[in-house]
Amino acid sequence: MNNSIAIDGPAGAGKSTVAKLLAKQMGIHYLNTGAMYRALALLATRNGIAFSDEQGVGALLVNAVITVFYQGDEQHTVLNGEDVTELLLSEQISMGASTVSKLPCVRDTMAALQRKIAHTDQFVLEGRDIGTNVLPDTPYKFFVTASSSERAKRRQLQLESLGQSVDYNAILKDLEIRDKQDTERSYMPLKMADDAVLIDTTTLSIAEAVQKIRAIVEGR
Ligand code: DC
């Protein structure tokens, strides 16, 4: 059995921040699995392959090497030897990641890679299918969510802090398209595992969400 911690939920719910802080407090690693799908979307863009082209994206993936390393608390994502972390946050790559992640061959390869990483140590893994597919046996499953307006607001602040100028309504629309795509894809959709604990961060601070999760994991 794996005792890593699974954190799933929709875009912008605060999963990454929660996962990172939780891992730091517990002295374990964290893995942002969305970054791996984003790296593949970047690779498709660079090669002029449509995100929905299963054969084309599948062929790219066969030869792609996607790895991560950590600098302080930050995960860096490496695509074929290049640190692409900074290139993964645009809205185009967000949507691309959501689209390539619908492809069964992509999901199977990514899940296997993530499982392999998680089995090297105790991790906090965050994504969309960690509790349902990547680590179905872990006893620690959480589904972190928030209202779509709150998620769009947070995403706007995040992009603005990176110097990107963004329109709130455009972000909200993109989030809703991504939610629809992620929850309605036919293969391994975003879904709360039956045995996951729901953490709604609409009115909870990140620190409070982390405290709640820790109390459960540590049996307090
Ligand atoms: O967590 P994120 O927003 O960086 O993820 C980008 C996209 O990748 C998301 O819209 C769906 C996909 N994804 C997935 O299908 N499964 C995961 N475990 C992580 C991300």
Side-chain angles (χ1 to χ4, degrees):
M1 191 184 70
N2 190 282
N3 64 352
S4 286
I5 300 165
I7 298 188
D8 291 303
K15 291 187 310 288
S16 299
T17 323
V18 166
K20 211 188 295 182
L21 186 61
L22 178 67
K24 189 178 169 148
Q25 287 186 5
M26 294 184 67
I28 60 178
H29 311 279
Y30 86 101
L31 182 67
N32 169 347
T33 61
M36 301 166 84
Y37 290 93
R38 287 171 181 268
L40 181 59
L42 176 66
L43 186 63
T45 306
R46 286 179 169 176
N47 284 274
I49 303 285
F51 299 132
S52 55
D53 174 353
E54 176 143 34
Q55 256 195 340
V57 173
L60 285 179
L61 187 56
V62 169
N63 295 307
V65 181
I66 298 173
T67 54
V68 299
F69 74 94
Y70 298 89
Q71 211 162 50
D73 295 338
E74 293 304 317
Q75 172 179 317
H76 285 247
T77 307
V78 180
L79 171 64
N80 295 333
E82 176 190 353
D83 183 348
V84 293
T85 313
E86 306 265 296
L87 306 176
L88 303 181
L89 286 173
S90 69
E91 283 306 290
Q92 195 218 349
I93 293 296
S94 298
M95 202 57 81
S98 175
T99 305
V100 296
S101 77
K102 291 201 285 186
L103 306 172
C105 71
V106 169
R107 298 214 68 77
D108 287 347
T109 304
M110 291 295 188
L113 191 56
Q114 291 155 14
R115 232 171 260 133
K116 209 164 134 191
I117 296 174
H119 281 90
T120 60
D121 211 331
Q122 189 183 19
F123 270 81
V124 179
L125 264 80
E126 60 105 347
R128 301 291 189 288
D129 64 339
I130 310 300
T132 51
N133 176 40
V134 177
L135 300 176
D137 294 336
T138 179
Y140 310 124
K141 299 183 187 179
F142 300 90
F143 194 84
V144 175
T145 190
S147 68
S148 50
S149 58
E150 182 60 31
R151 290 189 285 125
K153 225 185 305 170
R154 291 180 193 162
R155 179 87 182 137
Q156 182 181 26
L157 286 174
Q158 183 198 20
L159 290 172
E160 281 173 356
S161 75
L162 295 169
Q164 297 182 27
S165 103
V166 283
D167 172 57
Y168 170 83
N169 288 319
I171 292 183
L172 181 62
K173 194 165 155 238
D174 275 5
L175 270 184
E176 286 172 347
I177 295 173
R178 247 191 331 139
D179 281 357
K180 190 169 157 56
Q181 209 163 241
D182 294 348
T183 53
E184 292 182 2
R185 67 181 173 228
S186 53
Y187 193 59
M188 304 289 174
L190 166 65
K191 178 176 167 287
M192 180 167 150
D194 293 338
D195 50 350
V197 175
L198 180 69
I199 308 279
D200 188 334
T201 66
T202 309
T203 54
L204 274 189
S205 70
I206 294 297
E208 288 167 328
V210 169
Q211 201 179 17
K212 238 177 152 169
I213 295 175
R214 265 191 86 182
I216 294 170
V217 172
E218 293 170 355
R220 285 187 269 125

